[in-house]
Amino acid sequence: MKKILFGFVLVLATLFTSVPAAESPRAVIIFDASGSMWGQIHGKPKIAIAREALKNVVREWNPNVELGLTVYGHRRKGDCNDIETVIPVGRVDKNKVIDTVMKIQPKGKTPISRSLRKAANELKFTEEKATIILISDGKETCDPDPCGTAKELEKEGIDFVTHVIGFNVDKKTDKQLECIAHATGGAYFSAKNAAALNKAMKSIVKKVEKPKAPVLTQTEYTLVARYNMSPKGLNVSGVKWAVSQEGKVLYSGNDEAPKVDVKVGKIHVKAAYDRTGELQSAEGDMVLKPQAKNHTVIMIKSGKVTIDLAEEKGGLKVKGSVYIYPIIDGKPNRDDQIVWCVPTKKKACERILPIGKYYVEATYDSMKAHTEFTLANKEEKTLHLFFRQTGNVEVTASEKEGGKWIDAGCRLYNEDKSDSWYVGPRKKKAGTKQVPVGKYTLNCEYNAFKRKDIPVEIKAGETTKLHVVMGQTGKVEVTASEKEGGKWIDANCRAYKVVDGEVDDSDNWYIGPRKKEAGTKQLPVGKYLLKCEYNRFKKEAPFEVTAGKVSKVHVIFSPFVIGAKCSNGSEKVSYEIYASSGQLVYDKKVPCSKMLNMVLDEGKYRVEASVSGGTGEAAFEVGAGKPAKLILDLTNLNHEEEIKADSSETVVVPVQPKKTEPATTQTNAHSVTIGDKKIQIEGISEKNAADLKKAAAMLQMLGGMMQGNSAAVDKEKKPKQSSQNEKADKEFDEMSKDLDMFTK
């Protein structure tokens, strides 16, 4: 691999030497001759005061300090470019300077920014130390930001300083002028009268005459690489740097424009660049002086390439993307993309690249083109890449023929389906795509509808239009609650397509009703089954989707309440609820005083309730017409009261274990006659049956007392008999309730 001695064209003047400071101080005075200088201070024009102050300074000027004089606003009114170097920088001719100053006549505006730039250029501020003395009686009247200009000059200059005198100005102007001075490291003086102006001028002269003593023992050193075809362009990345001093490596790496802290004195620099396989390298020593700005600039050998794209040779230019990779060891290095650019119909892609061999790849719609090229030092090369002819496809879709346009997902496939392009028609505009000439097929999807392999032929320069009819749809709107008319709840529902009476599990859509809004879905016309889940319980509801309409489905998850009666109301009860299949569907532990609210699907269940005294259980059923509430009596699970009543000694009573399987119990049936009604009661003991018969006999007697011939009753006894009847009625009602409760 050929070495090119600092092929970067190592600019030795900047790599191995640093810019020397000027041997003697040099300064330019910018004198304000704007119209406002005719203003007076204590009856004397400001221009006269300024002339006298400047004359006194020049008379005592140190002949070893070079001086120049720039004046603005002295020739024309309203001209922001009325700036003149009346005395160039050089050895001072005191009489000439004084004679020139005494003849200045104020007329124009105050172009401070432009005057600063002009004086700085005259002092060669980018190469040498430059000092400006600005005298102004007002703020900038031409450009918006003189302080910004001062900052730019300070940044660009070697050692640029501006000292400023604000002559009889207001506070706002004071701040503007002070900013100019401080931005460059200069001094600012606000002189309100002649004495103050003279004092300020003398102070500034002393600053100009006194040279700066070297104070830095360490400085920041910057390494910069640029292409020789663009010496003022962007920094180049990929250079391998090494900086050492006194045998110690201070920096080694390939950062872009790295900054290194070095001591003032001698340093050694190495640089190498081989990103494209063409090695460019150099090394050398340089001596750093105590300056704030030390840097190395190397120039990498480079060339310029221009690339444009067209469908065919001689055809119109097209917009595409260009990718450039270096060729290393005969192959494109795709891990190191050097350039990406976008040539258009009107503008080609132009790039400056380091010398070497390259692989360029371009894309235009679905097509690709590529080539290779070699770039020599300072060579300019133009490349033209061509593609096949193309045409356009334009796709629209609707649910029915002549219906509104819809959003659909369509994809265009080439003949062997090795490549495809998305074409998304929308409600407001057609889906379009430019593709190479040839035969294609179009596949589209819309909700549950699919249209496949629609033939399409693309012709050169033409637009092929297709309209796809997908199929009609409607909407379903799903809500859910725990009871009829209750608050909406969050549930998970899914709609399943029903075909020929059978549910198609493979074709379904999620619909999630929420507390604040219904769950909605647009579906193809047809019959469906809605399956919903809420708190581990399930509901199903059939519905039908009609074209262009909204089908509303409301799912109710009926609540069920379970409570318990305990010996100790503060005791906690552990509930377990089992479905008829044996599955545990609900379990919770709550205080006995608290009711248990839940949602259960229709069907048969068994509840087990455990307290410290044992476990009770009961079977119940949930469904239309069934009770929605169950109360369990857990006060005497071990029958302790009955056992104690039959014994004079203390008895330890074992807890009744829960039943593992529902037991079949032999029960007796008894009939009780009340009036002319005969009631059949099953599952009670002989003793309870006898008690019921006694209660029935009492009811029969009371009923007989209320039966009588009202005509035979004496009129005077009617109120008393009425009172007796009312009392009997009340007792009858109470006993009927007791009987009813007992039978339940």
Side-chain angles (χ1 to χ4, degrees), residues 296-359:
T296 288
V297 178
I298 62 170
M299 293 298 170
I300 299 175
K301 285 186 176 182
S302 60
K304 182 179 179 181
V305 63
T306 301
I307 303 173
D308 57 35
L309 309 176
E311 287 190 0
E312 57 185 343
K313 191 172 183 178
L316 296 175
K317 300 293 185 293
V318 296
K319 181 179 178 180
S321 293
V322 170
Y323 307 88
I324 301 178
Y325 306 93
I327 295 178
I328 306 295
D329 297 331
K331 295 180 180 180
N333 182 11
R334 292 186 176 274
D335 294 331
D336 186 14
Q337 180 184 299
I338 285 187
V339 165
W340 173 79
C341 60
V342 181
T344 64
K345 295 178 181 179
K346 295 183 178 180
K347 188 176 180 180
C349 166
E350 294 182 353
R351 289 293 185 271
I352 293 174
L353 304 173
I355 59 173
K357 193 172 183 180
Y358 295 94
Y359 175 86

Side-chain angles (χ1 to χ4, degrees), residues 388-536:
R388 288 187 291 159
Q389 288 183 300
T390 63
N392 288 290
V393 62
E394 184 177 289
V395 181
T396 55
S398 63
E399 289 191 354
K400 61 181 181 179
E401 197 68 52
K404 296 177 182 178
W405 285 4
I406 57 173
D407 294 348
C410 297
R411 184 167 285 275
L412 195 68
Y413 292 85
N414 61 0
E415 280 191 287
D416 61 2
K417 298 201 174 182
S418 62
D419 211 349
S420 66
W421 302 265
Y422 180 77
V423 187
R426 293 292 175 260
K427 294 176 182 179
K428 291 186 177 181
K429 65 177 183 178
T432 59
K433 197 68 181 176
Q434 186 176 10
V435 293
V437 169
K439 293 183 178 181
Y440 298 84
T441 55
L442 185 73
N443 290 1
C444 294
E445 291 186 3
Y446 170 67
N447 291 323
F449 295 113
K450 295 180 181 180
R451 297 288 181 265
K452 290 187 175 182
D453 298 334
I454 303 169
V456 184
E457 185 173 0
I458 306 299
K459 296 182 180 179
E462 296 183 8
T463 298
T464 303
K465 296 185 177 182
L466 286 97
H467 183 76
V468 184
V469 178
M470 298 301 300
Q472 290 184 286
T473 63
K475 278 189 176 181
V476 61
E477 186 177 284
V478 180
T479 54
S481 64
E482 291 186 353
K483 62 181 181 179
E484 191 71 45
K487 295 178 181 178
W488 286 2
I489 58 174
D490 293 348
N492 294 321
C493 298
R494 189 169 285 275
Y496 291 80
K497 185 76 173 176
V498 177
V499 181
D500 297 330
E502 296 293 329
V503 176
D504 184 1
D505 290 334
S506 64
D507 216 1
N508 59 80
W509 299 265
Y510 177 79
I511 307 171
R514 292 293 175 259
K515 294 177 182 179
K516 292 185 177 181
E517 62 181 359
T520 59
K521 196 72 178 178
Q522 188 170 2
L523 298 172
V525 169
K527 293 183 178 181
Y528 295 85
L529 179 67
L530 188 69
K531 296 182 179 181
C532 295
E533 291 188 4
Y534 171 69
N535 284 353
R536 296 179 293 176

Side-chain angles (χ1 to χ4, degrees), residues 671-675 677 689-705 732 735 739:
S671 61
V672 179
T673 303
I674 302 174
K677 294 182 179 179
D691 291 340
L692 283 175
K693 288 179 179 180
K694 289 179 181 180
M698 186 178 292
L699 287 173
Q700 182 72 27
M701 179 185 69
L702 291 172
M705 291 173 62
F732 181 84
M735 295 187 73
L739 181 60

Side-chain angles (χ1 to χ4, degrees), residues 12 69 92 100 130 185 206 274 287 291 340 362 372 387 444 502 518 581 583 609 628 671 709 714:
L12 297 178
L69 180 64
V92 65
T100 301
K206 290 181 180 179
D274 63 351
V287 178
Q291 297 173 200
W340 173 79
E372 296 181 3
F387 303 89
C444 294
E502 296 293 329
S581 64
Q583 178 190 5
S671 61
N709 189 348
D714 188 78

